[in-house]
């Protein structure tokens, strides 16, 4: 009898350590999901400057200083290249000091680049280089359900995924509170999030994940042998830290995103199971539920975006004008219009336009001088 009781106690202890002291709760999960959406919705605009470092197998590393603006569906950034890995800098020294400016205003993309020469493009279909704004877009941009269906999970945003049909569950694993979101769209995979929370329910880590293909939650439970919330294909992890209060809104001043790539190997894959799946002997749900529990990731292929925001430059919810998102293209610049498929040159400034400020000063001095001379003549009694 004592042996049986000890066995039960050990099982309970093991489950508590592995899965948390509290049962999974969809009620609390939904409440926290709404809190996160409300926090995201409370930020209507942002202006800030941050230093971005990107590391990866193809780029090694590069560092940029980025001036960023966002409001509604409008985005603007100006990125100054500060540093490259030694090999790239030696091969392309002109990249140091290069400036790329891009904007999205009223659905239209514009580009202005300063390197060896000035280049400009209007009516683009998208950003030429979205890397300087990747994490900010993950925070603030919300894609429609239709666009979310067509995009890979790693390219979706927090608000987009949490706005899709699905259910949220608060779970606890190894002492960490996690909001697990499982979408219920009728598609091959269930796009989802595993969001790690601090004591104030702020996001400290958001894992963008795919859950077993061709399965509902209930169907997947039949075949998953481990933790169903961790039976995933991990696309990226977004870390939000160094929260600072701006007015009554908490905002992270340090963000880091890691993008993961799987290897060709899968711990749960086998030729026998593959053949059974092809022959229709096992369902797609069973096949993928088992497969998703065995992904292996290649750390050598991981891409890391790491950036620090200067708190002194942060302005939240300050109304921005269209002019804040417009890019001024210098006179005499060759501009490529991607929509009309034509190239034109912006008009050169005339001599008067180039020296307008000087002329204003000279005229002002002339008027002032005239007034001064007239005054002296009056006091001296001269006509």
């Amino acid at each position: 009898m004592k042996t049986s009781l000890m066995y039960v106690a050990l099982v309970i202890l093991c489950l508590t350590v592995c899965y948390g002291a509290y049962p999974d709760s969809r009620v609390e999960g939904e409440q926290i999901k709404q809190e996160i959406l409300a926090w995201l919705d409370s930020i209507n605009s942002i202006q800030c400057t941050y230093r971005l470092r990107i590391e990866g197998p193809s780029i090694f590393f590069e560092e940029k200083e980025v001036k960023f603006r966002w409001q509604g569906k409008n985005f603007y950034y100006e990125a100054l290249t500060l540093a490259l890995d030694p090999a790239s800098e030696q091969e392309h020294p002109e990249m140091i000091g290069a400036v790329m400016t891009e904007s999205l205003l009223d659905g239209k993309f514009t580009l202005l680049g300063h390197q060896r020469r000035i280049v400009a493009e209007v009516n683009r279909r998208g950003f030429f280089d979205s890397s300087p704004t990747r994490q900010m877009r993950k925070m603030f941009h919300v894609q429609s359900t239709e666009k979310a269906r067509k995009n890979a999970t790693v390219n979706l945003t927090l608000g987009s995924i949490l706005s899709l049909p699905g259910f949220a569950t608060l779970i606890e694993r190894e002492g960490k509170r996690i909001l697990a979101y499982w979408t219920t769209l009728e598609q091959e995979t269930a796009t989802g999030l595993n969001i790690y929370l601090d004591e104030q329910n702020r996001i400290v880590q958001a894992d963008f994940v795919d859950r077993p293909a061709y399965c509902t939650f209930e169907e997947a439970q039949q075949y998953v042998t481990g933790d169903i919330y961790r039976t995933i294909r991990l696309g990226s992890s977004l870390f939000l830290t160094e929260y600072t209060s701006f007015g009554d809104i908490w905002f992270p001043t340090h963000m880091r995103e890691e993008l993961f790539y799987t290897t060709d190997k899968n711990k749960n894959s086998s030729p026998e199971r593959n053949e059974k799946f092809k022959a229709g002997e096992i369902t797609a749900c069973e096949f993928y539920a088992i497969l998703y529990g065995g992904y292996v990731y290649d750390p050598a292929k991981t891409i890391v975006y790491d950036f620090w925001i200067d708190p002194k430059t942060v302005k939240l919810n300050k109304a921005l004008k269209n002019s804040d998102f417009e890019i001024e293209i210098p006179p005499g610049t060759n501009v490529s219009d991607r929509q009309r498929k034509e190239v034109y040159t912006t008009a050169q400034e005339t001599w008067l336009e180039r020296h307008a400020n000087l002329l204003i000063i000279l005229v002002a001095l002339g008027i002032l001088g005239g007034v001064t001379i007239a005054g002296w003549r009056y006091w001296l009694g001269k006509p």
Side-chain angles (χ1 to χ4, degrees):
M1 183 66 180
K2 288 185 178 180
T3 304
S4 300
L5 290 174
M6 288 179 62
Y7 176 76
V8 171
L10 285 172
V11 170
I12 295 173
L13 178 62
C14 180
L15 290 172
T16 301
V17 171
C18 295
Y19 293 98
Y22 305 100
D24 302 342
S25 171
R26 289 194 182 180
V27 174
E28 290 183 86
E30 183 61 28
Q31 291 174 346
I32 294 173
K33 169 197 160 183
Q34 294 303 327
E35 287 179 22
I36 293 174
L37 286 173
W39 171 64
L40 293 172
D41 289 341
S42 72
I43 303 172
N44 303 313
S45 71
I46 183 171
Q47 299 179 73
C48 64
T49 300
Y50 49 86
R51 189 169 180 131
L52 169 66
R53 181 182 174 94
I54 307 174
E55 298 181 43
S58 59
I59 56 176
F60 299 104
F61 81 82
E62 60 179 340
E63 290 186 6
K64 298 180 179 182
E65 182 182 79
V66 182
K67 295 178 181 178
F68 176 81
R69 298 176 196 139
W70 164 78
Q71 180 174 271
K73 295 183 179 181
N74 298 332
F75 287 83
Y76 171 99
Y77 81 84
E78 177 186 301
L80 168 65
T81 301
L82 301 174
L84 299 170
D85 64 277
S88 297
E89 184 174 346
Q90 186 174 3
E91 186 176 355
H92 301 286
E94 73 280 359
M95 290 290 294
I96 304 299
V99 178
M100 175 69 77
T101 306
E102 293 195 78
S103 73
L104 169 59
L105 175 61
D106 295 333
K108 296 181 178 180
F109 292 86
T110 303
L111 172 153
L112 181 66
H114 293 260
Q115 196 171 308
R116 289 178 176 174
R117 59 188 178 88
I118 299 175
V119 295
E121 295 182 4
V122 296
N123 294 323
R124 290 181 53 84
R125 292 185 177 180
F127 282 132
F128 175 80
D129 182 8
S130 61
S131 61
T133 65
R134 179 180 171 83
Q135 289 70 41
M136 285 299 201
R137 288 174 67 84
K138 273 188 172 289
M139 291 284 294
F140 302 118
H141 186 52
V142 178
Q143 298 130 317
S144 66
T145 300
E146 182 181 353
K147 288 186 177 180
R149 285 177 180 269
K150 297 177 181 179
N151 269 291
T153 299
V154 72
N155 294 324
L156 297 180
T157 66
L158 285 168
S160 298
I161 296 177
L162 290 176
S163 298
L164 293 174
F167 57 89
T169 309
L170 180 65
I171 64 176
E172 185 177 334
R173 301 294 186 266
E174 294 88 38
K176 297 178 180 179
R177 297 167 64 249
I178 305 168
L179 179 70
Y181 194 65
W182 191 304
T183 59
T184 53
L185 288 174
E186 295 179 0
Q187 57 186 29
E188 293 181 5
T189 60
T191 294
L193 287 165
N194 283 343
I195 300 177
Y196 293 74
L197 307 164
D198 66 8
E199 296 80 5
Q200 295 174 260
N201 289 339
R202 298 180 303 197
I203 301 172
V204 294
Q205 177 182 337
D207 290 345
F208 291 75
V209 304
D210 284 316
R211 305 196 189 277
Y214 304 101
C215 283
T216 65
F217 178 80
E218 290 74 19
E219 290 170 341
Q221 282 183 311
Q222 302 176 44
Y223 307 110
V224 173
T225 55
D227 187 345
I228 191 168
Y229 295 106
R230 289 179 169 176
T231 303
I232 58 173
R233 180 172 59 201
L234 178 61
S236 71
S237 292
L238 177 64
F239 301 88
L240 307 179
T241 57
E242 301 296 327
Y243 276 88
T244 303
S245 178
F246 298 95
D248 57 349
I249 299 176
W250 287 98
F251 192 77
T253 57
H254 181 213
M255 299 186 194
R256 176 184 175 91
E257 184 181 17
E258 299 178 2
L259 276 69
F260 305 102
Y261 292 85
T262 59
T263 66
D264 294 332
K265 298 179 180 179
N266 186 298
K267 292 183 293 186
N268 294 344
S269 179
S270 68
E272 182 182 358
R273 186 179 291 112
N274 294 344
E275 290 301 320
K276 285 185 177 180
F277 175 58
K278 291 178 182 179
E281 296 178 18
I282 59 175
T283 66
C285 179
E286 179 181 355
F287 178 79
Y288 285 105
I290 295 172
L291 194 70
Y292 272 53
Y295 280 112
V296 179
Y297 302 89
D298 186 350
K301 293 183 179 179
T302 301
I303 298 175
V304 178
Y305 296 79
D306 197 6
F307 74 89
W308 293 84
I309 299 174
D310 181 355
K312 297 178 182 178
T313 67
V314 175
K315 295 179 181 178
L316 295 182
N317 295 339
K318 178 182 178 181
L320 300 175
K321 299 174 291 186
N322 280 359
S323 58
D324 294 316
F325 298 93
E326 292 173 348
I327 297 176
E328 185 177 347
I329 300 176
T333 302
N334 290 332
V335 180
S336 175
D337 189 323
R338 289 305 186 93
Q339 187 175 8
R340 297 181 178 179
K341 297 182 180 179
E342 63 181 23
V343 177
Y344 63 90
T345 303
T346 52
Q348 293 280 5
E349 287 181 313
T350 64
W351 189 92
L352 289 175
E353 289 173 330
R354 288 198 303 273
H355 300 87
N357 291 336
L358 177 59
L359 288 174
I360 291 172
I361 293 171
L362 290 174
V363 170
L365 289 174
I367 294 172
L368 180 62
V371 172
T372 304
I373 292 172
W376 278 110
R377 284 180 177 273
Y378 173 80
W379 287 108
L380 293 172
K382 294 182 179 182

PDB file of all heavy atoms in Angstrom, residues 212-215 219-220 222-224 231 268 273 276-277 280-293:
ATOM      1  N   PRO A 212       0.781  20.766 -35.708  1.00  0.00           N
ATOM      2  CA  PRO A 212       0.607  19.652 -36.645  1.00  0.00           C
ATOM      3  C   PRO A 212      -0.359  19.919 -37.789  1.00  0.00           C
ATOM      4  O   PRO A 212      -1.449  20.450 -37.587  1.00  0.00           O
ATOM      5  CB  PRO A 212       0.110  18.521 -35.744  1.00  0.00           C
ATOM      6  CG  PRO A 212       0.741  18.812 -34.434  1.00  0.00           C
ATOM      7  CD  PRO A 212       0.727  20.312 -34.314  1.00  0.00           C
ATOM      8  N   ALA A 213       0.062  19.569 -38.992  1.00  0.00           N
ATOM      9  CA  ALA A 213      -0.724  19.811 -40.195  1.00  0.00           C
ATOM     10  C   ALA A 213      -1.930  18.873 -40.270  1.00  0.00           C
ATOM     11  O   ALA A 213      -1.902  17.741 -39.792  1.00  0.00           O
ATOM     12  CB  ALA A 213       0.155  19.624 -41.428  1.00  0.00           C
ATOM     13  N   TYR A 214      -2.993  19.360 -40.899  1.00  0.00           N
ATOM     14  CA  TYR A 214      -4.209  18.585 -41.160  1.00  0.00           C
ATOM     15  C   TYR A 214      -4.841  18.030 -39.889  1.00  0.00           C
ATOM     16  O   TYR A 214      -5.456  16.972 -39.898  1.00  0.00           O
ATOM     17  CB  TYR A 214      -3.905  17.449 -42.131  1.00  0.00           C
ATOM     18  CG  TYR A 214      -3.296  17.900 -43.424  1.00  0.00           C
ATOM     19  CD1 TYR A 214      -1.919  17.796 -43.644  1.00  0.00           C
ATOM     20  CD2 TYR A 214      -4.087  18.447 -44.433  1.00  0.00           C
ATOM     21  CE1 TYR A 214      -1.354  18.217 -44.844  1.00  0.00           C
ATOM     22  CE2 TYR A 214      -3.522  18.884 -45.625  1.00  0.00           C
ATOM     23  CZ  TYR A 214      -2.157  18.768 -45.823  1.00  0.00           C
ATOM     24  OH  TYR A 214      -1.605  19.197 -47.008  1.00  0.00           O
ATOM     25  N   CYS A 215      -4.669  18.752 -38.766  1.00  0.00           N
ATOM     26  CA  CYS A 215      -5.200  18.274 -37.489  1.00  0.00           C
ATOM     27  C   CYS A 215      -5.944  19.369 -36.759  1.00  0.00           C
ATOM     28  O   CYS A 215      -5.511  20.518 -36.741  1.00  0.00           O
ATOM     29  CB  CYS A 215      -4.064  17.816 -36.561  1.00  0.00           C
ATOM     30  SG  CYS A 215      -3.348  16.215 -36.924  1.00  0.00           S
ATOM     31  N   GLU A 219      -7.968  16.114 -32.581  1.00  0.00           N
ATOM     32  CA  GLU A 219      -7.404  15.014 -33.375  1.00  0.00           C
ATOM     33  C   GLU A 219      -5.932  14.804 -33.066  1.00  0.00           C
ATOM     34  O   GLU A 219      -5.457  13.660 -32.948  1.00  0.00           O
ATOM     35  CB  GLU A 219      -7.591  15.311 -34.870  1.00  0.00           C
ATOM     36  CG  GLU A 219      -9.038  15.238 -35.333  1.00  0.00           C
ATOM     37  CD  GLU A 219      -9.223  15.771 -36.736  1.00  0.00           C
ATOM     38  OE1 GLU A 219      -8.330  16.528 -37.217  1.00  0.00           O
ATOM     39  OE2 GLU A 219     -10.243  15.451 -37.372  1.00  0.00           O
ATOM     40  N   ALA A 220      -5.185  15.910 -32.921  1.00  0.00           N
ATOM     41  CA  ALA A 220      -3.755  15.797 -32.641  1.00  0.00           C
ATOM     42  C   ALA A 220      -3.497  15.111 -31.307  1.00  0.00           C
ATOM     43  O   ALA A 220      -2.513  14.378 -31.144  1.00  0.00           O
ATOM     44  CB  ALA A 220      -3.112  17.183 -32.657  1.00  0.00           C
ATOM     45  N   GLN A 222      -4.791  12.603 -30.101  1.00  0.00           N
ATOM     46  CA  GLN A 222      -4.807  11.143 -30.213  1.00  0.00           C
ATOM     47  C   GLN A 222      -3.434  10.571 -30.535  1.00  0.00           C
ATOM     48  O   GLN A 222      -3.142   9.426 -30.218  1.00  0.00           O
ATOM     49  CB  GLN A 222      -5.787  10.722 -31.307  1.00  0.00           C
ATOM     50  CG  GLN A 222      -7.217  11.182 -31.108  1.00  0.00           C
ATOM     51  CD  GLN A 222      -8.085  10.793 -32.284  1.00  0.00           C
ATOM     52  OE1 GLN A 222      -8.003   9.665 -32.788  1.00  0.00           O
ATOM     53  NE2 GLN A 222      -8.928  11.708 -32.740  1.00  0.00           N
ATOM     54  N   TYR A 223      -2.589  11.385 -31.171  1.00  0.00           N
ATOM     55  CA  TYR A 223      -1.319  10.851 -31.688  1.00  0.00           C
ATOM     56  C   TYR A 223      -0.070  11.454 -31.029  1.00  0.00           C
ATOM     57  O   TYR A 223       0.998  10.850 -31.087  1.00  0.00           O
ATOM     58  CB  TYR A 223      -1.231  11.101 -33.196  1.00  0.00           C
ATOM     59  CG  TYR A 223      -2.433  10.596 -33.951  1.00  0.00           C
ATOM     60  CD1 TYR A 223      -3.333  11.478 -34.528  1.00  0.00           C
ATOM     61  CD2 TYR A 223      -2.689   9.229 -34.075  1.00  0.00           C
ATOM     62  CE1 TYR A 223      -4.449  11.025 -35.227  1.00  0.00           C
ATOM     63  CE2 TYR A 223      -3.808   8.761 -34.756  1.00  0.00           C
ATOM     64  CZ  TYR A 223      -4.683   9.670 -35.333  1.00  0.00           C
ATOM     65  OH  TYR A 223      -5.781   9.205 -36.014  1.00  0.00           O
ATOM     66  N   VAL A 224      -0.201  12.622 -30.419  1.00  0.00           N
ATOM     67  CA  VAL A 224       0.954  13.262 -29.788  1.00  0.00           C
ATOM     68  C   VAL A 224       1.262  12.561 -28.475  1.00  0.00           C
ATOM     69  O   VAL A 224       0.392  12.419 -27.611  1.00  0.00           O
ATOM     70  CB  VAL A 224       0.690  14.764 -29.554  1.00  0.00           C
ATOM     71  CG1 VAL A 224       1.826  15.377 -28.745  1.00  0.00           C
ATOM     72  CG2 VAL A 224       0.543  15.489 -30.886  1.00  0.00           C
ATOM     73  N   THR A 231       4.612  20.403 -29.425  1.00  0.00           N
ATOM     74  CA  THR A 231       4.728  19.612 -30.655  1.00  0.00           C
ATOM     75  C   THR A 231       4.565  20.596 -31.811  1.00  0.00           C
ATOM     76  O   THR A 231       3.456  20.830 -32.299  1.00  0.00           O
ATOM     77  CB  THR A 231       3.664  18.504 -30.685  1.00  0.00           C
ATOM     78  OG1 THR A 231       3.809  17.687 -29.515  1.00  0.00           O
ATOM     79  CG2 THR A 231       3.814  17.646 -31.932  1.00  0.00           C
ATOM     80  N   ASN A 268      11.604  11.681 -35.640  1.00  0.00           N
ATOM     81  CA  ASN A 268      10.433  10.800 -35.710  1.00  0.00           C
ATOM     82  C   ASN A 268      10.120  10.320 -37.121  1.00  0.00           C
ATOM     83  O   ASN A 268       9.070   9.720 -37.360  1.00  0.00           O
ATOM     84  CB  ASN A 268       9.204  11.520 -35.145  1.00  0.00           C
ATOM     85  CG  ASN A 268       9.344  11.798 -33.657  1.00  0.00           C
ATOM     86  OD1 ASN A 268      10.186  11.218 -32.985  1.00  0.00           O
ATOM     87  ND2 ASN A 268       8.525  12.694 -33.145  1.00  0.00           N
ATOM     88  N   ARG A 273       7.245   4.553 -41.960  1.00  0.00           N
ATOM     89  CA  ARG A 273       6.089   5.421 -41.735  1.00  0.00           C
ATOM     90  C   ARG A 273       5.771   6.237 -42.981  1.00  0.00           C
ATOM     91  O   ARG A 273       4.611   6.481 -43.312  1.00  0.00           O
ATOM     92  CB  ARG A 273       6.349   6.359 -40.550  1.00  0.00           C
ATOM     93  CG  ARG A 273       5.114   7.196 -40.181  1.00  0.00           C
ATOM     94  CD  ARG A 273       5.348   8.108 -38.983  1.00  0.00           C
ATOM     95  NE  ARG A 273       5.484   7.334 -37.758  1.00  0.00           N
ATOM     96  CZ  ARG A 273       6.616   7.224 -37.070  1.00  0.00           C
ATOM     97  NH1 ARG A 273       7.696   7.833 -37.496  1.00  0.00           N
ATOM     98  NH2 ARG A 273       6.676   6.507 -35.975  1.00  0.00           N
ATOM     99  N   LYS A 276       3.822   4.047 -45.346  1.00  0.00           N
ATOM    100  CA  LYS A 276       2.442   3.838 -44.874  1.00  0.00           C
ATOM    101  C   LYS A 276       1.582   5.061 -45.172  1.00  0.00           C
ATOM    102  O   LYS A 276       0.413   4.931 -45.535  1.00  0.00           O
ATOM    103  CB  LYS A 276       2.441   3.551 -43.378  1.00  0.00           C
ATOM    104  CG  LYS A 276       2.918   2.151 -42.999  1.00  0.00           C
ATOM    105  CD  LYS A 276       2.760   1.914 -41.505  1.00  0.00           C
ATOM    106  CE  LYS A 276       3.167   0.495 -41.136  1.00  0.00           C
ATOM    107  NZ  LYS A 276       3.002   0.264 -39.673  1.00  0.00           N
ATOM    108  N   PHE A 277       2.199   6.238 -45.022  1.00  0.00           N
ATOM    109  CA  PHE A 277       1.458   7.471 -45.296  1.00  0.00           C
ATOM    110  C   PHE A 277       1.124   7.574 -46.791  1.00  0.00           C
ATOM    111  O   PHE A 277      -0.005   7.899 -47.166  1.00  0.00           O
ATOM    112  CB  PHE A 277       2.284   8.680 -44.851  1.00  0.00           C
ATOM    113  CG  PHE A 277       1.667  10.001 -45.199  1.00  0.00           C
ATOM    114  CD1 PHE A 277       0.395  10.340 -44.756  1.00  0.00           C
ATOM    115  CD2 PHE A 277       2.352  10.923 -45.983  1.00  0.00           C
ATOM    116  CE1 PHE A 277      -0.176  11.568 -45.083  1.00  0.00           C
ATOM    117  CE2 PHE A 277       1.791  12.147 -46.317  1.00  0.00           C
ATOM    118  CZ  PHE A 277       0.524  12.466 -45.859  1.00  0.00           C
ATOM    119  N   GLY A 280      -1.681   5.398 -47.752  1.00  0.00           N
ATOM    120  CA  GLY A 280      -2.968   5.716 -47.146  1.00  0.00           C
ATOM    121  C   GLY A 280      -3.296   4.864 -45.943  1.00  0.00           C
ATOM    122  O   GLY A 280      -4.452   4.829 -45.509  1.00  0.00           O
ATOM    123  N   GLU A 281      -2.290   4.200 -45.379  1.00  0.00           N
ATOM    124  CA  GLU A 281      -2.530   3.339 -44.229  1.00  0.00           C
ATOM    125  C   GLU A 281      -2.610   4.129 -42.927  1.00  0.00           C
ATOM    126  O   GLU A 281      -3.137   3.632 -41.924  1.00  0.00           O
ATOM    127  CB  GLU A 281      -1.433   2.273 -44.141  1.00  0.00           C
ATOM    128  CG  GLU A 281      -1.429   1.324 -45.341  1.00  0.00           C
ATOM    129  CD  GLU A 281      -0.299   0.316 -45.252  1.00  0.00           C
ATOM    130  OE1 GLU A 281       0.242   0.134 -44.133  1.00  0.00           O
ATOM    131  OE2 GLU A 281       0.046  -0.295 -46.281  1.00  0.00           O
ATOM    132  N   ILE A 282      -2.039   5.334 -42.905  1.00  0.00           N
ATOM    133  CA  ILE A 282      -2.178   6.220 -41.742  1.00  0.00           C
ATOM    134  C   ILE A 282      -2.652   7.581 -42.245  1.00  0.00           C
ATOM    135  O   ILE A 282      -2.373   7.972 -43.384  1.00  0.00           O
ATOM    136  CB  ILE A 282      -0.857   6.368 -40.941  1.00  0.00           C
ATOM    137  CG1 ILE A 282       0.261   6.937 -41.835  1.00  0.00           C
ATOM    138  CG2 ILE A 282      -0.438   5.058 -40.330  1.00  0.00           C
ATOM    139  CD1 ILE A 282       1.539   7.202 -41.062  1.00  0.00           C
ATOM    140  N   THR A 283      -3.382   8.281 -41.414  1.00  0.00           N
ATOM    141  CA  THR A 283      -3.948   9.564 -41.825  1.00  0.00           C
ATOM    142  C   THR A 283      -2.877  10.658 -41.840  1.00  0.00           C
ATOM    143  O   THR A 283      -1.810  10.523 -41.228  1.00  0.00           O
ATOM    144  CB  THR A 283      -5.061   9.998 -40.866  1.00  0.00           C
ATOM    145  OG1 THR A 283      -4.481  10.257 -39.566  1.00  0.00           O
ATOM    146  CG2 THR A 283      -6.129   8.926 -40.752  1.00  0.00           C
ATOM    147  N   ALA A 284      -3.198  11.741 -42.542  1.00  0.00           N
ATOM    148  CA  ALA A 284      -2.282  12.886 -42.586  1.00  0.00           C
ATOM    149  C   ALA A 284      -2.093  13.467 -41.195  1.00  0.00           C
ATOM    150  O   ALA A 284      -0.989  13.868 -40.820  1.00  0.00           O
ATOM    151  CB  ALA A 284      -2.820  13.945 -43.540  1.00  0.00           C
ATOM    152  N   CYS A 285      -3.160  13.491 -40.417  1.00  0.00           N
ATOM    153  CA  CYS A 285      -3.063  14.025 -39.060  1.00  0.00           C
ATOM    154  C   CYS A 285      -2.086  13.205 -38.223  1.00  0.00           C
ATOM    155  O   CYS A 285      -1.220  13.750 -37.550  1.00  0.00           O
ATOM    156  CB  CYS A 285      -4.439  14.039 -38.404  1.00  0.00           C
ATOM    157  SG  CYS A 285      -4.424  14.660 -36.707  1.00  0.00           S
ATOM    158  N   GLU A 286      -2.217  11.896 -38.263  1.00  0.00           N
ATOM    159  CA  GLU A 286      -1.312  11.028 -37.491  1.00  0.00           C
ATOM    160  C   GLU A 286       0.125  11.207 -37.954  1.00  0.00           C
ATOM    161  O   GLU A 286       1.051  11.311 -37.134  1.00  0.00           O
ATOM    162  CB  GLU A 286      -1.731   9.567 -37.636  1.00  0.00           C
ATOM    163  CG  GLU A 286      -0.818   8.605 -36.875  1.00  0.00           C
ATOM    164  CD  GLU A 286      -1.228   7.149 -37.034  1.00  0.00           C
ATOM    165  OE1 GLU A 286      -2.281   6.895 -37.670  1.00  0.00           O
ATOM    166  OE2 GLU A 286      -0.503   6.267 -36.534  1.00  0.00           O
ATOM    167  N   PHE A 287       0.313  11.238 -39.270  1.00  0.00           N
ATOM    168  CA  PHE A 287       1.659  11.349 -39.821  1.00  0.00           C
ATOM    169  C   PHE A 287       2.328  12.648 -39.360  1.00  0.00           C
ATOM    170  O   PHE A 287       3.467  12.635 -38.862  1.00  0.00           O
ATOM    171  CB  PHE A 287       1.600  11.316 -41.350  1.00  0.00           C
ATOM    172  CG  PHE A 287       2.935  11.475 -42.027  1.00  0.00           C
ATOM    173  CD1 PHE A 287       3.816  10.414 -42.118  1.00  0.00           C
ATOM    174  CD2 PHE A 287       3.307  12.707 -42.570  1.00  0.00           C
ATOM    175  CE1 PHE A 287       5.047  10.562 -42.734  1.00  0.00           C
ATOM    176  CE2 PHE A 287       4.536  12.858 -43.194  1.00  0.00           C
ATOM    177  CZ  PHE A 287       5.409  11.785 -43.287  1.00  0.00           C
ATOM    178  N   TYR A 288       1.621  13.775 -39.481  1.00  0.00           N
ATOM    179  CA  TYR A 288       2.238  15.067 -39.143  1.00  0.00           C
ATOM    180  C   TYR A 288       2.304  15.307 -37.641  1.00  0.00           C
ATOM    181  O   TYR A 288       3.219  15.980 -37.158  1.00  0.00           O
ATOM    182  CB  TYR A 288       1.484  16.197 -39.829  1.00  0.00           C
ATOM    183  CG  TYR A 288       1.781  16.270 -41.307  1.00  0.00           C
ATOM    184  CD1 TYR A 288       0.854  15.843 -42.249  1.00  0.00           C
ATOM    185  CD2 TYR A 288       3.012  16.734 -41.765  1.00  0.00           C
ATOM    186  CE1 TYR A 288       1.134  15.897 -43.609  1.00  0.00           C
ATOM    187  CE2 TYR A 288       3.306  16.784 -43.116  1.00  0.00           C
ATOM    188  CZ  TYR A 288       2.359  16.360 -44.037  1.00  0.00           C
ATOM    189  OH  TYR A 288       2.648  16.398 -45.374  1.00  0.00           O
ATOM    190  N   ALA A 289       1.361  14.772 -36.889  1.00  0.00           N
ATOM    191  CA  ALA A 289       1.413  14.932 -35.435  1.00  0.00           C
ATOM    192  C   ALA A 289       2.671  14.285 -34.873  1.00  0.00           C
ATOM    193  O   ALA A 289       3.314  14.825 -33.960  1.00  0.00           O
ATOM    194  CB  ALA A 289       0.177  14.324 -34.797  1.00  0.00           C
ATOM    195  N   ILE A 290       3.036  13.144 -35.423  1.00  0.00           N
ATOM    196  CA  ILE A 290       4.263  12.466 -34.985  1.00  0.00           C
ATOM    197  C   ILE A 290       5.491  13.195 -35.528  1.00  0.00           C
ATOM    198  O   ILE A 290       6.483  13.387 -34.825  1.00  0.00           O
ATOM    199  CB  ILE A 290       4.249  10.997 -35.448  1.00  0.00           C
ATOM    200  CG1 ILE A 290       3.113  10.241 -34.740  1.00  0.00           C
ATOM    201  CG2 ILE A 290       5.594  10.332 -35.165  1.00  0.00           C
ATOM    202  CD1 ILE A 290       2.887   8.841 -35.268  1.00  0.00           C
ATOM    203  N   LEU A 291       5.417  13.651 -36.785  1.00  0.00           N
ATOM    204  CA  LEU A 291       6.551  14.328 -37.415  1.00  0.00           C
ATOM    205  C   LEU A 291       6.900  15.629 -36.693  1.00  0.00           C
ATOM    206  O   LEU A 291       8.073  15.944 -36.484  1.00  0.00           O
ATOM    207  CB  LEU A 291       6.227  14.629 -38.876  1.00  0.00           C
ATOM    208  CG  LEU A 291       7.398  15.029 -39.789  1.00  0.00           C
ATOM    209  CD1 LEU A 291       8.305  13.829 -40.017  1.00  0.00           C
ATOM    210  CD2 LEU A 291       6.876  15.573 -41.110  1.00  0.00           C
ATOM    211  N   TYR A 292       5.875  16.396 -36.278  1.00  0.00           N
ATOM    212  CA  TYR A 292       6.121  17.686 -35.647  1.00  0.00           C
ATOM    213  C   TYR A 292       6.788  17.559 -34.276  1.00  0.00           C
ATOM    214  O   TYR A 292       7.261  18.554 -33.733  1.00  0.00           O
ATOM    215  CB  TYR A 292       4.810  18.468 -35.523  1.00  0.00           C
ATOM    216  CG  TYR A 292       4.506  19.306 -36.746  1.00  0.00           C
ATOM    217  CD1 TYR A 292       4.498  18.743 -38.015  1.00  0.00           C
ATOM    218  CD2 TYR A 292       4.227  20.660 -36.647  1.00  0.00           C
ATOM    219  CE1 TYR A 292       4.223  19.489 -39.143  1.00  0.00           C
ATOM    220  CE2 TYR A 292       3.950  21.418 -37.779  1.00  0.00           C
ATOM    221  CZ  TYR A 292       3.955  20.820 -39.016  1.00  0.00           C
ATOM    222  OH  TYR A 292       3.681  21.580 -40.139  1.00  0.00           O
ATOM    223  N   GLY A 293       6.806  16.374 -33.746  1.00  0.00           N
ATOM    224  CA  GLY A 293       7.491  16.182 -32.470  1.00  0.00           C
ATOM    225  C   GLY A 293       8.962  15.860 -32.606  1.00  0.00           C
ATOM    226  O   GLY A 293       9.654  15.659 -31.602  1.00  0.00           O
TER     227      GLY A 293
END
